[in-house]
PDB file of all heavy atoms in Angstrom:
ATOM      1  N   VAL A 131      25.723 -50.257-167.732  1.00 95.00           N
ATOM      2  CA  VAL A 131      25.534 -51.226-166.535  1.00 95.00           C
ATOM      3  C   VAL A 131      25.481 -52.703-167.040  1.00 95.00           C
ATOM      4  O   VAL A 131      26.086 -53.543-166.575  1.00 95.00           O
ATOM      5  CB  VAL A 131      24.299 -50.882-165.763  1.00 95.00           C
ATOM      6  CG1 VAL A 131      24.013 -52.035-164.819  1.00 95.00           C
ATOM      7  CG2 VAL A 131      24.522 -49.640-164.926  1.00 95.00           C
ATOM      8  N   ALA A 132      24.731 -52.906-168.155  1.00 96.00           N
ATOM      9  CA  ALA A 132      24.657 -54.211-168.796  1.00 96.00           C
ATOM     10  C   ALA A 132      25.997 -54.635-169.330  1.00 96.00           C
ATOM     11  O   ALA A 132      26.397 -55.809-169.167  1.00 96.00           O
ATOM     12  CB  ALA A 132      23.552 -54.174-169.928  1.00 96.00           C
ATOM     13  N   TYR A 133      26.765 -53.702-169.910  1.00 96.00           N
ATOM     14  CA  TYR A 133      28.067 -54.094-170.377  1.00 96.00           C
ATOM     15  C   TYR A 133      28.920 -54.514-169.177  1.00 96.00           C
ATOM     16  O   TYR A 133      29.706 -55.513-169.324  1.00 96.00           O
ATOM     17  CB  TYR A 133      28.654 -52.831-171.183  1.00 96.00           C
ATOM     18  CG  TYR A 133      30.079 -53.303-171.659  1.00 96.00           C
ATOM     19  CD1 TYR A 133      30.206 -53.848-172.970  1.00 96.00           C
ATOM     20  CD2 TYR A 133      31.201 -53.199-170.965  1.00 96.00           C
ATOM     21  CE1 TYR A 133      31.473 -54.248-173.467  1.00 96.00           C
ATOM     22  CE2 TYR A 133      32.480 -53.529-171.388  1.00 96.00           C
ATOM     23  CZ  TYR A 133      32.527 -54.046-172.673  1.00 96.00           C
ATOM     24  OH  TYR A 133      33.748 -54.440-173.128  1.00 96.00           O
ATOM     25  N   ILE A 134      28.877 -53.695-168.204  1.00 97.00           N
ATOM     26  CA  ILE A 134      29.772 -53.998-167.026  1.00 97.00           C
ATOM     27  C   ILE A 134      29.437 -55.511-166.432  1.00 97.00           C
ATOM     28  O   ILE A 134      30.353 -56.216-166.150  1.00 97.00           O
ATOM     29  CB  ILE A 134      29.618 -52.939-165.859  1.00 97.00           C
ATOM     30  CG1 ILE A 134      30.167 -51.751-166.355  1.00 97.00           C
ATOM     31  CG2 ILE A 134      30.204 -53.410-164.618  1.00 97.00           C
ATOM     32  CD1 ILE A 134      29.793 -50.443-165.463  1.00 97.00           C
ATOM     33  N   ALA A 135      28.218 -55.781-166.417  1.00 97.00           N
ATOM     34  CA  ALA A 135      27.656 -57.028-165.918  1.00 97.00           C
ATOM     35  C   ALA A 135      28.199 -58.167-166.871  1.00 97.00           C
ATOM     36  O   ALA A 135      28.802 -59.143-166.401  1.00 97.00           O
ATOM     37  CB  ALA A 135      26.243 -57.120-165.904  1.00 97.00           C
ATOM     38  N   GLY A 136      28.137 -58.072-168.246  1.00 96.00           N
ATOM     39  CA  GLY A 136      28.544 -58.989-169.107  1.00 96.00           C
ATOM     40  C   GLY A 136      30.164 -59.145-169.011  1.00 96.00           C
ATOM     41  O   GLY A 136      30.660 -60.342-169.099  1.00 96.00           O
ATOM     42  N   ALA A 137      30.808 -58.011-169.098  1.00 95.00           N
ATOM     43  CA  ALA A 137      32.301 -58.121-169.011  1.00 95.00           C
ATOM     44  C   ALA A 137      32.825 -58.596-167.728  1.00 95.00           C
ATOM     45  O   ALA A 137      33.812 -59.246-167.661  1.00 95.00           O
ATOM     46  CB  ALA A 137      32.821 -56.742-169.392  1.00 95.00           C
ATOM     47  N   SER A 138      32.139 -58.343-166.607  1.00 96.00           N
ATOM     48  CA  SER A 138      32.568 -58.843-165.345  1.00 96.00           C
ATOM     49  C   SER A 138      32.422 -60.334-165.347  1.00 96.00           C
ATOM     50  O   SER A 138      33.241 -61.039-164.703  1.00 96.00           O
ATOM     51  CB  SER A 138      31.757 -58.217-164.193  1.00 96.00           C
ATOM     52  OG  SER A 138      31.979 -56.826-164.147  1.00 96.00           O
ATOM     53  N   PHE A 139      31.313 -60.804-165.763  1.00 95.00           N
ATOM     54  CA  PHE A 139      31.120 -62.326-165.967  1.00 95.00           C
ATOM     55  C   PHE A 139      32.358 -62.884-166.731  1.00 95.00           C
ATOM     56  O   PHE A 139      32.966 -63.843-166.305  1.00 95.00           O
ATOM     57  CB  PHE A 139      29.878 -62.514-166.782  1.00 95.00           C
ATOM     58  CG  PHE A 139      29.761 -63.954-167.413  1.00 95.00           C
ATOM     59  CD1 PHE A 139      29.487 -65.023-166.576  1.00 95.00           C
ATOM     60  CD2 PHE A 139      30.011 -64.146-168.748  1.00 95.00           C
ATOM     61  CE1 PHE A 139      29.364 -66.328-167.237  1.00 95.00           C
ATOM     62  CE2 PHE A 139      29.935 -65.409-169.253  1.00 95.00           C
ATOM     63  CZ  PHE A 139      29.539 -66.464-168.520  1.00 95.00           C
ATOM     64  N   MET A 140      32.703 -62.344-167.867  1.00 93.00           N
ATOM     65  CA  MET A 140      33.823 -62.816-168.648  1.00 93.00           C
ATOM     66  C   MET A 140      35.213 -62.704-167.784  1.00 93.00           C
ATOM     67  O   MET A 140      35.963 -63.631-167.701  1.00 93.00           O
ATOM     68  CB  MET A 140      34.049 -62.022-169.820  1.00 93.00           C
ATOM     69  CG  MET A 140      32.966 -62.379-170.928  1.00 93.00           C
ATOM     70  SD  MET A 140      33.021 -64.049-171.550  1.00 93.00           S
ATOM     71  CE  MET A 140      34.697 -64.007-172.189  1.00 93.00           C
ATOM     72  N   ALA A 141      35.358 -61.605-167.100  1.00 93.00           N
ATOM     73  CA  ALA A 141      36.619 -61.366-166.312  1.00 93.00           C
ATOM     74  C   ALA A 141      36.627 -62.387-165.206  1.00 93.00           C
ATOM     75  O   ALA A 141      37.744 -62.945-164.872  1.00 93.00           O
ATOM     76  CB  ALA A 141      36.570 -59.974-165.800  1.00 93.00           C
ATOM     77  N   PHE A 142      35.498 -62.654-164.503  1.00 94.00           N
ATOM     78  CA  PHE A 142      35.520 -63.542-163.398  1.00 94.00           C
ATOM     79  C   PHE A 142      35.899 -64.938-163.829  1.00 94.00           C
ATOM     80  O   PHE A 142      36.777 -65.548-163.239  1.00 94.00           O
ATOM     81  CB  PHE A 142      34.136 -63.656-162.674  1.00 94.00           C
ATOM     82  CG  PHE A 142      33.978 -64.696-161.646  1.00 94.00           C
ATOM     83  CD1 PHE A 142      34.447 -64.283-160.291  1.00 94.00           C
ATOM     84  CD2 PHE A 142      33.493 -65.952-161.878  1.00 94.00           C
ATOM     85  CE1 PHE A 142      34.344 -65.342-159.348  1.00 94.00           C
ATOM     86  CE2 PHE A 142      33.402 -66.870-160.927  1.00 94.00           C
ATOM     87  CZ  PHE A 142      33.843 -66.563-159.650  1.00 94.00           C
ATOM     88  N   PHE A 143      35.387 -65.412-164.912  1.00 91.00           N
ATOM     89  CA  PHE A 143      35.640 -66.781-165.396  1.00 91.00           C
ATOM     90  C   PHE A 143      37.117 -66.893-166.014  1.00 91.00           C
ATOM     91  O   PHE A 143      37.626 -68.008-166.003  1.00 91.00           O
ATOM     92  CB  PHE A 143      34.521 -67.375-166.329  1.00 91.00           C
ATOM     93  CG  PHE A 143      33.385 -67.849-165.535  1.00 91.00           C
ATOM     94  CD1 PHE A 143      32.241 -67.003-165.290  1.00 91.00           C
ATOM     95  CD2 PHE A 143      33.318 -69.008-164.860  1.00 91.00           C
ATOM     96  CE1 PHE A 143      31.170 -67.402-164.581  1.00 91.00           C
ATOM     97  CE2 PHE A 143      32.297 -69.496-164.090  1.00 91.00           C
ATOM     98  CZ  PHE A 143      31.199 -68.624-163.993  1.00 91.00           C
ATOM     99  N   LEU A 144      37.547 -65.783-166.572  1.00 89.00           N
ATOM    100  CA  LEU A 144      38.879 -65.815-167.159  1.00 89.00           C
ATOM    101  C   LEU A 144      39.932 -66.020-166.025  1.00 89.00           C
ATOM    102  O   LEU A 144      40.863 -66.790-166.139  1.00 89.00           O
ATOM    103  CB  LEU A 144      39.169 -64.560-167.922  1.00 89.00           C
ATOM    104  CG  LEU A 144      38.752 -64.474-169.302  1.00 89.00           C
ATOM    105  CD1 LEU A 144      38.978 -63.116-169.970  1.00 89.00           C
ATOM    106  CD2 LEU A 144      39.362 -65.526-170.193  1.00 89.00           C
ATOM    107  N   LEU A 145      39.584 -65.395-164.802  1.00 91.00           N
ATOM    108  CA  LEU A 145      40.530 -65.500-163.709  1.00 91.00           C
ATOM    109  C   LEU A 145      40.229 -66.815-162.935  1.00 91.00           C
ATOM    110  O   LEU A 145      41.288 -67.395-162.522  1.00 91.00           O
ATOM    111  CB  LEU A 145      40.279 -64.277-162.822  1.00 91.00           C
ATOM    112  CG  LEU A 145      41.340 -64.118-161.704  1.00 91.00           C
ATOM    113  CD1 LEU A 145      42.753 -63.967-162.219  1.00 91.00           C
ATOM    114  CD2 LEU A 145      41.023 -62.767-160.865  1.00 91.00           C
ATOM    115  N   PHE A 146      39.050 -67.125-162.726  1.00 91.00           N
ATOM    116  CA  PHE A 146      38.708 -68.268-161.677  1.00 91.00           C
ATOM    117  C   PHE A 146      38.172 -69.468-162.457  1.00 91.00           C
ATOM    118  O   PHE A 146      37.893 -70.435-161.708  1.00 91.00           O
ATOM    119  CB  PHE A 146      37.907 -67.778-160.680  1.00 91.00           C
ATOM    120  CG  PHE A 146      38.442 -66.671-159.768  1.00 91.00           C
ATOM    121  CD1 PHE A 146      37.905 -65.410-159.779  1.00 91.00           C
ATOM    122  CD2 PHE A 146      39.597 -66.986-158.960  1.00 91.00           C
ATOM    123  CE1 PHE A 146      38.450 -64.425-159.038  1.00 91.00           C
ATOM    124  CE2 PHE A 146      40.193 -65.844-158.219  1.00 91.00           C
ATOM    125  CZ  PHE A 146      39.595 -64.621-158.272  1.00 91.00           C
ATOM    126  N   GLY A 147      37.803 -69.480-163.706  1.00 88.00           N
ATOM    127  CA  GLY A 147      37.041 -70.509-164.393  1.00 88.00           C
ATOM    128  C   GLY A 147      37.805 -71.775-164.314  1.00 88.00           C
ATOM    129  O   GLY A 147      37.196 -72.970-164.327  1.00 88.00           O
ATOM    130  N   ASP A 148      39.142 -71.803-164.345  1.00 87.00           N
ATOM    131  CA  ASP A 148      39.971 -72.992-164.308  1.00 87.00           C
ATOM    132  C   ASP A 148      39.587 -73.877-163.081  1.00 87.00           C
ATOM    133  O   ASP A 148      39.668 -75.149-163.118  1.00 87.00           O
ATOM    134  CB  ASP A 148      41.434 -72.743-164.315  1.00 87.00           C
ATOM    135  CG  ASP A 148      41.857 -72.417-165.667  1.00 87.00           C
ATOM    136  OD1 ASP A 148      41.665 -73.071-166.724  1.00 87.00           O
ATOM    137  OD2 ASP A 148      42.498 -71.144-165.846  1.00 87.00           O
ATOM    138  N   PHE A 149      39.236 -73.214-161.964  1.00 89.00           N
ATOM    139  CA  PHE A 149      38.958 -73.959-160.768  1.00 89.00           C
ATOM    140  C   PHE A 149      37.645 -74.667-160.781  1.00 89.00           C
ATOM    141  O   PHE A 149      37.278 -75.404-159.874  1.00 89.00           O
ATOM    142  CB  PHE A 149      39.034 -72.920-159.508  1.00 89.00           C
ATOM    143  CG  PHE A 149      40.364 -72.405-159.357  1.00 89.00           C
ATOM    144  CD1 PHE A 149      40.750 -71.102-159.724  1.00 89.00           C
ATOM    145  CD2 PHE A 149      41.414 -73.123-158.624  1.00 89.00           C
ATOM    146  CE1 PHE A 149      41.888 -70.570-159.493  1.00 89.00           C
ATOM    147  CE2 PHE A 149      42.612 -72.584-158.488  1.00 89.00           C
ATOM    148  CZ  PHE A 149      42.904 -71.319-158.941  1.00 89.00           C
ATOM    149  N   PHE A 150      36.713 -74.359-161.787  1.00 86.00           N
ATOM    150  CA  PHE A 150      35.577 -75.012-161.935  1.00 86.00           C
ATOM    151  C   PHE A 150      35.526 -76.263-162.812  1.00 86.00           C
ATOM    152  O   PHE A 150      34.496 -76.797-163.243  1.00 86.00           O
ATOM    153  CB  PHE A 150      34.426 -73.994-162.440  1.00 86.00           C
ATOM    154  CG  PHE A 150      34.141 -72.956-161.416  1.00 86.00           C
ATOM    155  CD1 PHE A 150      34.800 -71.768-161.516  1.00 86.00           C
ATOM    156  CD2 PHE A 150      33.277 -73.142-160.481  1.00 86.00           C
ATOM    157  CE1 PHE A 150      34.589 -70.727-160.611  1.00 86.00           C
ATOM    158  CE2 PHE A 150      32.886 -72.115-159.531  1.00 86.00           C
ATOM    159  CZ  PHE A 150      33.552 -70.981-159.560  1.00 86.00           C
ATOM    160  N   THR A 151      36.718 -76.594-163.379  1.00 84.00           N
ATOM    161  CA  THR A 151      36.940 -77.671-164.213  1.00 84.00           C
ATOM    162  C   THR A 151      37.374 -78.877-163.470  1.00 84.00           C
ATOM    163  O   THR A 151      38.272 -78.760-162.524  1.00 84.00           O
ATOM    164  CB  THR A 151      37.911 -77.370-165.365  1.00 84.00           C
ATOM    165  OG1 THR A 151      39.183 -77.007-164.843  1.00 84.00           O
ATOM    166  CG2 THR A 151      37.402 -76.307-166.142  1.00 84.00           C
ATOM    167  N   PRO A 152      36.962 -80.155-163.732  1.00 82.00           N
ATOM    168  CA  PRO A 152      37.287 -81.270-162.900  1.00 82.00           C
ATOM    169  C   PRO A 152      38.709 -81.661-162.771  1.00 82.00           C
ATOM    170  O   PRO A 152      39.192 -82.074-161.785  1.00 82.00           O
ATOM    171  CB  PRO A 152      36.484 -82.363-163.574  1.00 82.00           C
ATOM    172  CG  PRO A 152      35.467 -81.778-164.388  1.00 82.00           C
ATOM    173  CD  PRO A 152      36.033 -80.407-164.809  1.00 82.00           C
ATOM    174  N   ASP A 153      39.574 -81.285-163.875  1.00 79.00           N
ATOM    175  CA  ASP A 153      40.888 -81.706-163.920  1.00 79.00           C
ATOM    176  C   ASP A 153      41.794 -80.567-163.596  1.00 79.00           C
ATOM    177  O   ASP A 153      43.043 -80.712-163.956  1.00 79.00           O
ATOM    178  CB  ASP A 153      41.261 -82.423-165.278  1.00 79.00           C
ATOM    179  CG  ASP A 153      41.037 -81.364-166.307  1.00 79.00           C
ATOM    180  OD1 ASP A 153      40.392 -80.243-166.199  1.00 79.00           O
ATOM    181  OD2 ASP A 153      41.634 -81.560-167.500  1.00 79.00           O
ATOM    182  N   TYR A 154      41.398 -79.582-162.862  1.00 79.00           N
ATOM    183  CA  TYR A 154      42.320 -78.355-162.839  1.00 79.00           C
ATOM    184  C   TYR A 154      43.532 -78.618-162.025  1.00 79.00           C
ATOM    185  O   TYR A 154      44.612 -78.013-162.269  1.00 79.00           O
ATOM    186  CB  TYR A 154      41.457 -77.224-162.188  1.00 79.00           C
ATOM    187  CG  TYR A 154      41.345 -77.225-160.608  1.00 79.00           C
ATOM    188  CD1 TYR A 154      42.326 -76.680-159.831  1.00 79.00           C
ATOM    189  CD2 TYR A 154      40.205 -77.800-160.095  1.00 79.00           C
ATOM    190  CE1 TYR A 154      42.144 -76.612-158.405  1.00 79.00           C
ATOM    191  CE2 TYR A 154      40.071 -77.884-158.679  1.00 79.00           C
ATOM    192  CZ  TYR A 154      41.070 -77.319-157.883  1.00 79.00           C
ATOM    193  OH  TYR A 154      40.896 -77.298-156.515  1.00 79.00           O
ATOM    194  N   ARG A 155      43.488 -79.566-161.070  1.00 82.00           N
ATOM    195  CA  ARG A 155      44.728 -79.854-160.316  1.00 82.00           C
ATOM    196  C   ARG A 155      45.842 -80.415-161.170  1.00 82.00           C
ATOM    197  O   ARG A 155      46.928 -79.972-161.137  1.00 82.00           O
ATOM    198  CB  ARG A 155      44.365 -80.856-159.106  1.00 82.00           C
ATOM    199  CG  ARG A 155      43.484 -80.127-158.071  1.00 82.00           C
ATOM    200  CD  ARG A 155      43.306 -81.176-156.951  1.00 82.00           C
ATOM    201  NE  ARG A 155      42.371 -80.787-155.987  1.00 82.00           N
ATOM    202  CZ  ARG A 155      42.650 -79.919-154.967  1.00 82.00           C
ATOM    203  NH1 ARG A 155      43.953 -79.479-154.790  1.00 82.00           N
ATOM    204  NH2 ARG A 155      41.720 -79.473-154.118  1.00 82.00           N
TER     205      ARG A 155
END
């Protein structure tokens, strides 16, 4: 369960992390 939580954190930001950067556009 802890692994799933940590890996899901990584997967989420790999997919959507660019949208949290100021210059993504």
Side-chain angles (χ1 to χ4, degrees):
V131 168
Y133 181 90
I134 291 168
S138 297
F139 160 78
M140 288 296 299
F142 175 83
F143 280 100
L144 279 174
L145 188 58
F146 299 114
D148 285 307
F149 296 99
F150 294 93
T151 58
D153 62 342
Y154 79 90
R155 293 183 185 276

